[in-house]
Amino acid sequence: MTRSGGPAAPPTAPHRPDQLGAATRLTTGWQESSRAASLLRHTERYGPLPRRGSGRALIDAVGQAGLTGRGGAAFPTGTKLRSVASGRGTAVVVANGMESEPASEKDKALLARAPHLVLDGAVLAAGAVRADEVHLCLPRNREWLIAVIQDAVAERQRAGLDRVRIEIHDLPHHYVSSEESALVHWLNGGEAKPTATPPRPFERGVGQRPTLVDNVETLANIALIARFGPAWFRRAGLPDAPGTMLSTVSGAVTDPGVYEVEVGTPVGQVLAMSGARPDVDHVLIGGYFGSWHQIDQVASLPLAPAGLRAAGASPGAGVLLALPPDTCGLAETARVLTWLAGQGAGQCGPCAFGLPAIADDFTQIATGRLTGPALERLERRLGTVTGRGACRHPDGAVRFARSALTAFAADLKAHVSRRTCLAVRRSEARRPVLPIPRPLGMEVWQ
Amino acid sequence: MKHRLAVNPIACTGHGLCAEMLPELIRLDEWGFPIVSDRAIPHDLSPLARRAVRICPELALRLDPAAADRKVAAQ
Ligand SMILES: Cc1cc2nc3c(=O)[nH]c(=O)nc-3n(C[C@H](O)[C@H](O)[C@H](O)COP(=O)(O)O)c2cc1C
Ligand code: SF4
Ligand code: SF4
């Protein structure tokens, strides 16, 4: 698809009737090649980096477009841009490409195939908030991805494209080292652990300057809004949640992978696109800070913050995981909770002591080896840690645990009466379903 | 201005001194870390609350404005 400057037509492919809800914006050209798009190819696809317009105009456009953060919290991006722009001193932009959520692949996929779309967005955001530096944060153990981005940045330098400096950073990779205050702390020379807030990064972040931390998919959308405008952006998605989103679908599906869908596509439809097995009963929405649900209770709901709220779910960073029907959801949850408990930064009492205790209670229930009233103990503990860490790591783990107790209530009964379910016996012999990253070996936070 | 208590959970080491001083607004969890009430501090407890803040050996306890503008901070 060739495109030049001016009021370009949107790069949206016509919807295929069998994939209603599918859209092609961020994923333009992904069918043709799985390699990173060169600067030339990128410019052919989307047109050149727009240079017109003031920073204020782009901030207004992003606000009118209704773009929200794609890193999990769905915070309005225009509002954040405005806060950073009105801060004191020269601002800094941090692109969050860490993707620490084990069940998510979308940021890796985006960075690996459309690095220039992300870099365009970061540079344009820097222009909007009058920043002179862009820091792109990547996990240290993904060397191949770092190499792709280094090539892309070198290409831009040769072309003399950007006025701001772009730096690539390789951070230690723990679940919480991708939280925004952890990125800032590391960029300031500290450990990649969350810090107590306030001040938040938008007030005082890298070098004590106002700092915009945005997810890489959010930045890629800024690059599209700068080119094609807010009205175009709103042609996909819902009025209160416009645009497309990248969703990583895995588990009991024939075609696991990253799908670009309009925000608000029904959950069941996204699962159907990826070939979910018809006998799947449960789905995890939003990853390990997300929630378990019975499929028939969420299939018709839109994959969007407001639409999922009634069911107690949120799209998070777009993870959908279909639980294979012969797998015990409680055992899977216990395994992930144990991992999450070990992923905390060990800084806050309620997280450092509470999460291991919760994971232990949960494991007792899942294995049927109870000491005392494990379920009552678990429920009490689940009620005490939320909101008491410096970051929301404990809140996410609690939400995940709670949702399992509801979604797998029938299994829970069997487990608590000390008879483990059939599935648990079978799944103990099976390969685990929910992915858990290999241990890093050493406790490196620096 | 109305205030409420807040803990910096990274700094807090769970001494529990604050809960002894002000059990009306601070209780300890099973691991000895404080759970502070998030409601505005009633007028009559205000002097005790200020003393609790001063007594914390880690400087982990503080007073925040009760109706802080958390529009951006809530993300
Ligand atoms: C424990 C924890 C882990 C997080 N991990 C990521 C991550 O891997 N990638 C990401 O973009 N945001 C992550 N976030 C959210 C970031 O703190 C931040 O809100 C986000 O990068 C902002 O970008 P957005 O507004 O574009 O979504 C995490 C938050 C928490 C509490
Ligand atoms: S809540 Fe847990 S993960 Fe977050 S900063 Fe505190 S110890 Fe670290
Ligand atoms: S006195 Fe300070 S350190 Fe001790 S429990 Fe209270 S807040 Fe934590």
Side-chain angles (χ1 to χ4, degrees):
Chain A
M1 194 179 306
T2 319
R3 206 152 300 288
S4 55
T12 312
H15 294 172
R16 273 178 284 159
D18 61 325
Q19 291 200 352
L20 194 73
T24 313
R25 290 180 168 187
L26 303 168
T27 55
T28 302
W30 286 21
Q31 305 293 347
E32 297 147 33
S33 164
S34 59
R35 309 212 8 204
S38 65
L39 188 53
L40 182 68
R41 171 57 58 87
H42 165 71
T43 311
E44 282 171 7
R45 276 179 196 164
Y46 293 106
L49 187 65
R51 298 221 175 259
R52 299 156 287 138
S54 64
R56 184 58 53 186
L58 180 57
I59 295 179
D60 289 343
V62 171
Q64 284 157 16
L67 174 64
T68 56
R70 302 295 195 239
F75 188 81
T77 308
T79 307
K80 207 197 290 189
L81 285 166
R82 205 161 288 129
S83 307
V84 174
S86 62
R88 217 182 295 162
T90 307
V92 177
V93 169
V94 175
N96 193 345
M98 297 287 287
E99 191 164 55
S100 65
E101 174 62 53
S104 183
E105 300 284 335
K106 57 112 179 161
D107 291 339
K108 283 187 278 292
L110 178 65
L111 284 163
R113 287 160 180 228
H116 289 290
L117 197 59
V118 174
L119 293 169
D120 280 359
V123 167
L124 288 163
V129 300
R130 280 172 282 115
D132 59 354
E133 299 172 5
V134 167
H135 299 279
L136 178 55
C137 295
L138 298 170
R140 189 172 295 164
N141 54 342
R142 287 183 203 140
E143 287 105 350
W144 61 273
L145 188 59
I146 295 172
V148 167
I149 303 300
Q150 278 168 339
D151 287 350
V153 170
E155 225 182 340
R156 297 172 83 90
Q157 276 166 353
R158 283 196 299 277
L161 198 55
D162 306 316
R163 268 168 294 178
V164 298
R165 194 156 48 100
I166 304 175
E167 276 184 38
I168 303 165
H169 302 273
D170 59 336
L171 275 72
H173 202 208
H174 306 272
Y175 195 58
V176 301
S177 53
S178 49
E179 190 269 344
E180 57 183 18
S181 72
L183 301 182
V184 167
H185 196 225
W186 191 87
L187 289 167
N188 281 336
E191 293 184 313
K193 294 183 178 180
T195 57
T197 52
R200 301 191 58 96
F202 75 89
E203 304 165 296
R204 247 187 300 142
V206 176
Q208 308 303 312
R209 292 151 62 179
T211 300
L212 179 80
V213 184
D214 267 330
N215 172 260
V216 289
E217 183 188 344
T218 312
L219 293 171
N221 278 300
I222 291 178
L224 295 181
I225 293 167
R227 284 179 166 89
F228 307 116
W232 167 81
F233 186 77
R234 285 183 167 277
R235 272 189 234 163
L238 305 173
D240 65 343
T244 66
M245 63 184 279
L246 298 176
S247 173
T248 311
V249 193
S250 64
V253 300
T254 51
D255 297 309
V258 176
Y259 291 79
E260 182 175 17
V261 297
E262 296 194 40
V263 180
T265 305
V267 171
Q269 217 163 292
V270 183
L271 288 170
M273 278 165 65
S274 61
R277 272 167 55 176
D279 55 349
V280 166
D281 289 325
H282 293 91
V283 60
L284 175 66
I285 303 181
Y288 297 172
F289 278 2
S291 48
W292 286 109
H293 299 274
Q294 285 175 275
I295 283 211
D296 50 11
Q297 295 186 0
V298 290
S300 62
L301 298 182
L303 189 56
L308 286 178
R309 202 166 294 138
S314 108
V319 166
L320 291 182
L321 192 149
L323 187 73
D326 55 353
T327 305
C328 175
L330 292 171
E332 287 290 315
T333 303
R335 219 163 42 75
V336 169
L337 281 173
T338 303
W339 178 74
L340 285 174
Q343 283 291 306
Q347 311 187 101
C348 311
C351 179
F353 294 94
L355 293 192
I358 285 169
D360 186 49
D361 289 339
F362 213 103
T363 304
Q364 290 187 19
I365 291 165
T367 55
R369 292 186 274 273
L370 311 180
T371 57
L375 185 56
E376 287 101 88
R377 201 168 56 221
L378 173 64
E379 277 168 348
R380 177 170 47 77
R381 287 172 169 169
L382 287 173
T384 64
V385 302
T386 296
R388 292 178 56 222
C391 76
R392 288 174 304 131
H393 181 61
D395 309 24
V398 163
R399 175 187 184 171
F400 176 65
R402 274 225 174 93
S403 74
L405 296 181
T406 311
F408 304 112
D411 301 338
L412 186 65
K413 265 202 180 136
H415 281 262
V416 172
S417 55
R418 297 186 190 230
R419 294 175 287 117
T420 62
C421 67
L422 276 176
V424 90
R425 261 177 257 146
R426 255 183 267 130
S427 65
E428 265 169 0
R430 290 168 44 105
R431 216 159 50 88
V433 176
L434 302 194
I436 286 186
R438 266 181 291 127
L440 291 174
M442 251 198 311
E443 273 283 282
V444 182
W445 290 89
Q446 199 71 46
Chain B
M1 192 175 20
K2 285 268 179 200
H3 286 90
R4 63 183 187 96
L5 285 162
V7 186
N8 172 346
I10 295 180
C12 169
T13 50
H15 294 285
L17 284 177
C18 54
E20 268 173 47
M21 172 88 33
L22 192 58
E24 295 87 344
L25 296 177
I26 306 175
R27 62 195 176 91
L28 298 180
D29 66 17
E30 61 184 292
W31 307 285
F33 290 89
I35 303 177
V36 302
S37 158
D38 59 3
R39 65 192 173 104
I41 299 166
H43 193 68
D44 54 323
L45 290 177
S46 184
L48 269 181
R50 281 171 205 286
R51 272 181 68 193
V53 167
R54 272 200 307 273
I55 206 177
C56 168
E58 308 295 338
L59 308 179
L61 201 61
R62 64 172 192 272
L63 294 175
D64 276 354
D69 177 12
R70 281 185 240 141
K71 240 170 55 203
V72 175
Q75 60 172 293

